[in-house]
Amino acid sequence: MTLHSTYPAISDLRDRARKRVPAFVWEYLDSATGTEATKARNRQQLDRIGLMPSILHGAFTPTLATDLLGVALPLPFGIAPVGMSGLMWPDAEGHLARAAARAGIPYTLSTVASQSPEDLAPHLGPQAWFQMYPPRDEDIRTDMLARAKAAGFRTLVLTVDVPVASRRERQTRSGLTQPPRLTPRLLAQVAARPAWALGMARRGLPRMRGLEKYTPKTTTALASTQHAGYLLRTSPDWDYVSWLRDAWEGPFIVKGVLRAEDAEPLKNRGVDALWVSNHAGRQFDAAPATIDALCDIRAATDLPLIFDSGIEGGLDILRAFACGANFVMLGRAFHYALAALGPPGIAHLLDILKKDLEANMGQLGARTLAELPPPFSLP
Ligand SMILES: Cc1cc2nc3c(=O)[nH]c(=O)nc-3n(C[C@H](O)[C@H](O)[C@H](O)COP(=O)(O)O)c2cc1C
């Protein structure tokens, strides 16, 4: 029995992850907002992207390498920012950062991660990206950028699709409060997952360590989230983008772009790449499928485009590239892998994606990502 025979697809990792983490953790990781129509739409519209298979092209081994922002990357995908990753597995951020460094792919640390930029500094590879939820206070903003830079992060990502908190009703129903409190109900959920509880007991419950410098000292784990909402609850505007552009020397990416009209103004403000995303349907339930937005934005700009939301395998990565993406990110899949199998899950997921990319490129006769055929609409 190999991992590939038991867990050949991301959906297998997802199923196992669900059985291994407490219900409130699962709902935090897996839920979207509203009736989750946007989350479903992401899948439906990806499935509608057709690619014509090719025949009689002879045998070849495809290369999965690609270029992004002037850098050659061995694989066309990386790891999206996920707040409080440590809830899914102890030291999740450390495991993900090390795996990304080994594989030479980008790892994005969230502002609201359970580890700080300093915690991760020893583990970062050259593709270390820092994702910023915009602090309202300019001193904190400046300090956060300086800390990210000193820790070794070279690429800055500003997330703009969280102008206000999302309701995420499924998460609320699970008993997870804002700020999180370990109520008897949550403790009962924890008791039902002893392996998870043991792991957390060994390392201590995760907290938003990167923000603790700016929050009052707290005595209880998880309570550091209490002030995070206030600190970060600001809706950035166009001037904020310009301010950040001036303040950060390296590549600067704006995440959460869905409207083609926003592409040129962002380019004019010096943004280096757009991250086309609907936050996996977690923020707004009437948003377009990210793949539809990608096609429109590609037609409107020559900026590099990063795509995420709902990637479930190598074929979805190829669909995004065929629609004009220059790179793809995955958020939940890496956390399903960790929750399902622990750290070996990350290497297994990388392998699933590589094998799936190679198999589908073989069907398409595409030796490189640049050779993918144009997409067409399936009924
Ligand atoms: C549990 C969870 C937490 C997230 N936290 C953040 C975050 O802190 N910052 C951010 O920019 N995006 C965050 N995202 C969104 C991801 O970066 C990414 O856009 C999305 O998960 C991609 O879709 P996928 O999970 O289907 O791959 C989060 C997503 C999930 C599932």
Side-chain angles (χ1 to χ4, degrees), residues 25 27-31 42 79-85 88 108-113 131-133 157-162 168 171 255 275 277-282 308-312 329-336:
V25 173
E27 297 296 58
Y28 167 63
L29 174 61
D30 191 64
S31 66
N42 282 336
I79 306 176
V82 165
M84 294 293 276
S85 276
M88 274 58 87
T108 320
L109 180 70
S110 163
T111 311
V112 291
Q131 176 266 325
M132 184 173 247
Y133 277 133
V157 178
L158 173 68
T159 298
V160 294
D161 59 3
V162 188
R168 235 169 282 150
Q171 194 179 291
K255 175 173 185 276
W275 188 323
S277 170
N278 64 21
H279 219 108
R282 292 166 76 80
D308 81 16
S309 297
I311 293 284
E312 289 189 41
M329 288 290 205
L330 297 90
R332 284 169 301 161
F334 280 100
H335 293 77
Y336 296 149

Side-chain angles (χ1 to χ4, degrees), residues 120-166:
L120 286 190
H123 310 293
L124 298 176
Q127 286 301 313
W129 298 13
F130 182 72
Q131 176 266 325
M132 184 173 247
Y133 277 133
R136 57 173 78 223
D137 181 286
E138 193 172 316
D139 291 342
I140 293 181
R141 222 184 290 164
T142 306
D143 187 62
M144 224 183 240
L145 292 180
R147 289 173 62 197
K149 186 177 172 195
F153 292 89
R154 294 286 164 261
T155 300
L156 179 68
V157 178
L158 173 68
T159 298
V160 294
D161 59 3
V162 188
V164 294
S166 157

Side-chain angles (χ1 to χ4, degrees), residues 2-350:
T2 66
L3 285 179
H4 277 289
S5 58
T6 320
Y7 309 103
I10 291 174
S11 56
D12 301 301
L13 298 174
R14 180 179 181 274
D15 291 347
R16 181 167 163 88
R18 181 177 202 155
K19 298 186 189 113
R20 303 245 305 171
V21 296
F24 74 94
V25 173
W26 176 253
E27 297 296 58
Y28 167 63
L29 174 61
D30 191 64
S31 66
T33 197
T35 62
E36 308 202 339
T38 298
K39 183 182 179 191
R41 193 154 42 246
N42 282 336
R43 182 68 256 152
Q44 284 154 15
Q45 295 305 90
L46 276 165
D47 282 335
R48 291 199 59 212
I49 303 291
L51 298 170
M52 191 57 78
S54 145
I55 58 171
L56 300 174
H57 45 250
F60 64 90
T61 305
T63 166
L64 307 181
T66 193
D67 285 337
L68 182 68
L69 295 165
V71 178
L73 296 170
L75 294 169
F77 59 86
I79 306 176
V82 165
M84 294 293 276
S85 276
L87 266 180
M88 274 58 87
W89 189 266
D91 190 23
E93 288 93 350
H95 290 296
L96 289 169
R98 285 187 291 273
R102 275 195 300 274
I105 61 172
Y107 169 68
T108 320
L109 180 70
S110 163
T111 311
V112 291
S114 44
Q115 295 195 48
S116 68
E118 293 81 7
D119 293 331
L120 286 190
H123 310 293
L124 298 176
Q127 286 301 313
W129 298 13
F130 182 72
Q131 176 266 325
M132 184 173 247
Y133 277 133
R136 57 173 78 223
D137 181 286
E138 193 172 316
D139 291 342
I140 293 181
R141 222 184 290 164
T142 306
D143 187 62
M144 224 183 240
L145 292 180
R147 289 173 62 197
K149 186 177 172 195
F153 292 89
R154 294 286 164 261
T155 300
L156 179 68
V157 178
L158 173 68
T159 298
V160 294
D161 59 3
V162 188
V164 294
S166 157
R167 301 200 63 237
R168 235 169 282 150
E169 297 81 345
R170 230 173 91 190
Q171 194 179 291
T172 306
R173 267 177 228 121
S174 74
L176 193 58
T177 53
Q178 226 17 290
R181 269 190 316 277
L182 276 181
T183 58
R185 185 165 161 212
L186 257 51
L187 284 170
Q189 295 178 11
V190 169
R193 297 289 186 267
W196 182 92
L198 196 64
M200 292 297 151
R202 285 205 188 104
R203 201 178 158 95
L205 273 174
R207 41 207 304 160
M208 292 181 181
R209 290 174 56 99
L211 292 179
E212 285 184 339
K213 184 175 175 193
Y214 315 119
T215 53
K217 291 270 169 294
T218 52
T219 46
T220 54
L222 293 180
S224 61
T225 55
Q226 189 154 7
H227 291 275
Y230 173 77
L231 272 176
L232 305 174
R233 204 169 296 130
T234 180
S235 297
D237 56 16
W238 292 93
D239 290 342
Y240 201 108
V241 171
S242 300
W243 186 96
L244 266 188
R245 173 64 292 179
D246 290 345
W248 184 260
E249 278 167 23
F252 177 38
I253 300 169
V254 171
K255 175 173 185 276
V257 182
L258 289 174
R259 243 182 7 178
E261 303 93 279
D262 292 331
E264 270 322 282
L266 286 168
K267 185 179 175 185
N268 294 339
R269 279 168 178 76
V271 173
D272 297 302
L274 307 181
W275 188 323
V276 184
S277 170
N278 64 21
H279 219 108
R282 292 166 76 80
Q283 288 305 120
F284 182 58
D285 208 19
T290 311
I291 196 74
D292 291 338
L294 174 70
C295 299
D296 293 347
I297 296 174
R298 178 75 292 163
T301 185
D302 57 0
L303 279 179
L305 300 180
I306 297 159
F307 173 90
D308 81 16
S309 297
I311 293 284
E312 289 189 41
L315 179 57
D316 288 340
I317 296 175
L318 298 179
R319 286 173 156 137
F321 267 76
C323 292
N326 300 89
F327 204 70
V328 164
M329 288 290 205
L330 297 90
R332 284 169 301 161
F334 280 100
H335 293 77
Y336 296 149
L338 263 178
L341 301 172
I346 307 172
H348 181 53
L349 173 60
L350 293 177

